[in-house]
Amino acid sequence: MDKIRGKFEVILGFVTLVVSLSAFKDELALVEIELGYSTITLAKYLLYSVYGFSICLYLYTIELVVRETKIGSWKIFNYFLWIAYVLFAFILITPILLLFNIIAFKLYVNYINQNNIKAESFSKISSIITLSIQLVIAIATAITYRKERKIKTQQSIENQEIIELDNANKLFSDGYYSNSILESFKVLETHLYKKLTDKDYRIPRHKINDIIKIAIKENIITQEDIPAINDIRGMRNATAHTDIEHTKQQAEFSLEFVKELIKRNGK
């Protein structure tokens, strides 16, 4: 979420800058950027950048809005993010590569040769190299960011799982058995959610029924685990909505089940 919010700020900041520069659109239209294979004005470059960032903003927003809805589990929204990552990186590195392209073209014109055949050759080679480098860097950046984002997400969920398990243990040791069951169920939810997100499933965290179904499909849990999960869930609901007090044996059963499940799945 913070990463996406950061992108919003960058995009909106850039758009604000371009809007501010629009007061000088006539002057910017006079600034031509000669690339050897094409010539564009600074005004057009800024306009194209705004178009690209607007698409990024739209894709990020759509994914964010649908994330907790029924259609949010559709894998197509992973591609929305993927396209947005690549496009975002592509636009960000464009000024650097344009600068290198301009320098290369000027060196060619001034120090190498200026006949039309070779100039045409430069144009083709330069355009292919520039676009290829830009696309490779953009894709590599998107892949790296996605991996880092996934690692950080998994670490965050795992830290939460550790905290919840520690709370369940402490509550059990202190004799708060009903509260320990509540925490044990939280550990169960967090653990299953962690395993599914690691497999790139898009699923709202609070949809426990859907999480259980997919967890069975992915062999994270088995049909034999369902009675125990239902028992723990039932005790959790009773604790949350009534004044019922559960026994030490019930709390121990819940705690040991989630511990065994975590161990079975290799944490």
Side-chain angles (χ1 to χ4, degrees):
M1 183 66 184
D2 291 336
K3 289 282 187 180
I4 293 178
R5 187 181 297 113
K7 288 185 179 62
F8 286 167
E9 292 172 357
V10 171
I11 292 171
L12 293 176
F14 188 87
V15 171
T16 301
L17 174 62
V18 173
V19 170
S20 301
L21 291 173
S22 64
F24 307 98
K25 62 181 180 179
D26 293 334
E27 290 83 355
L28 293 173
L30 296 175
V31 180
E32 293 187 341
I33 304 174
E34 179 58 61
L35 303 175
Y37 53 87
S38 179
T39 301
I40 63 171
T41 65
L42 188 55
K44 277 190 176 181
Y45 168 70
L46 292 174
L47 182 61
Y48 293 153
S49 296
V50 170
Y51 287 160
F53 277 134
S54 297
I55 294 172
C56 288
L57 186 61
Y58 175 76
L59 293 175
Y60 286 137
T61 303
I62 288 293
E63 192 277 337
L64 190 63
V65 168
V66 304
R67 187 179 299 169
E68 296 298 322
T69 66
K70 289 183 178 179
I71 66 171
S73 60
W74 294 359
K75 294 238 174 177
I76 188 174
F77 295 110
N78 283 335
Y79 296 110
F80 275 33
L81 283 180
W82 175 250
I83 294 170
Y85 293 156
V86 173
L87 184 58
F88 186 81
F90 189 87
I91 297 171
L92 285 183
I93 63 176
T94 297
I96 299 174
L97 291 177
L98 284 179
L99 179 60
F100 285 144
N101 195 117
I102 293 169
I103 294 172
F105 179 68
K106 287 187 177 296
L107 287 174
Y108 174 80
V109 170
N110 294 329
Y111 300 107
I112 302 178
N113 212 310
Q114 292 190 38
N115 68 67
N116 291 333
I117 297 176
K118 291 187 178 181
E120 184 180 350
S121 176
F122 174 86
S123 298
K124 292 179 180 179
I125 295 173
S126 177
S127 61
I128 293 172
I129 291 176
T130 300
L131 291 175
S132 298
I133 291 175
Q134 195 166 354
L135 188 58
V136 168
I137 293 176
I139 292 175
T141 301
I143 292 173
T144 301
Y145 171 73
R146 187 174 182 275
K147 286 182 179 178
E148 290 180 353
R149 180 172 177 263
K150 183 175 180 179
I151 289 171
K152 287 182 179 180
T153 299
Q154 287 296 299
Q155 287 176 341
S156 177
I157 299 173
E158 187 168 348
N159 288 339
Q160 183 177 352
E161 179 186 86
I162 292 170
I163 292 171
E164 290 170 350
L165 185 58
D166 186 53
N167 289 339
N169 278 316
K170 288 181 179 178
L171 289 168
F172 179 80
S173 299
D174 293 340
Y176 297 101
Y177 302 126
S178 292
N179 290 330
S180 178
I181 291 172
L182 280 173
E183 289 299 315
S184 293
F185 188 74
K186 286 183 183 179
V187 176
L188 176 64
E189 287 181 310
T190 302
H191 179 71
L192 296 180
Y193 180 74
K194 179 185 73 174
K195 287 298 180 181
L196 292 182
T197 54
D198 186 49
K199 294 178 179 291
D200 295 324
Y201 276 94
R202 297 178 51 87
I203 185 167
R205 186 164 186 158
H206 63 277
K207 297 275 181 118
I208 186 62
N209 288 332
D210 293 339
I211 288 175
I212 290 173
K213 287 179 183 177
I214 301 174
I216 292 175
K217 177 183 173 183
E218 290 294 329
N219 296 318
I220 299 170
I221 57 176
T222 66
Q223 287 290 347
E224 287 71 25
D225 294 320
I226 297 302
I229 292 174
N230 287 337
D231 286 344
I232 297 171
R233 190 177 182 183
M235 288 186 286
R236 176 261 179 198
N237 291 340
T239 299
H241 303 296
T242 68
D243 295 329
I244 190 171
E245 291 292 333
H246 292 97
T247 65
K248 179 180 179 179
Q249 289 74 21
Q250 289 173 314
E252 185 175 19
F253 166 77
S254 302
L255 192 55
E256 290 303 316
F257 176 81
V258 295
K259 286 181 179 179
E260 189 274 331
L261 181 62
I262 293 173
K263 182 178 179 181
R264 186 202 312 168
N265 289 322
K267 299 182 179 182

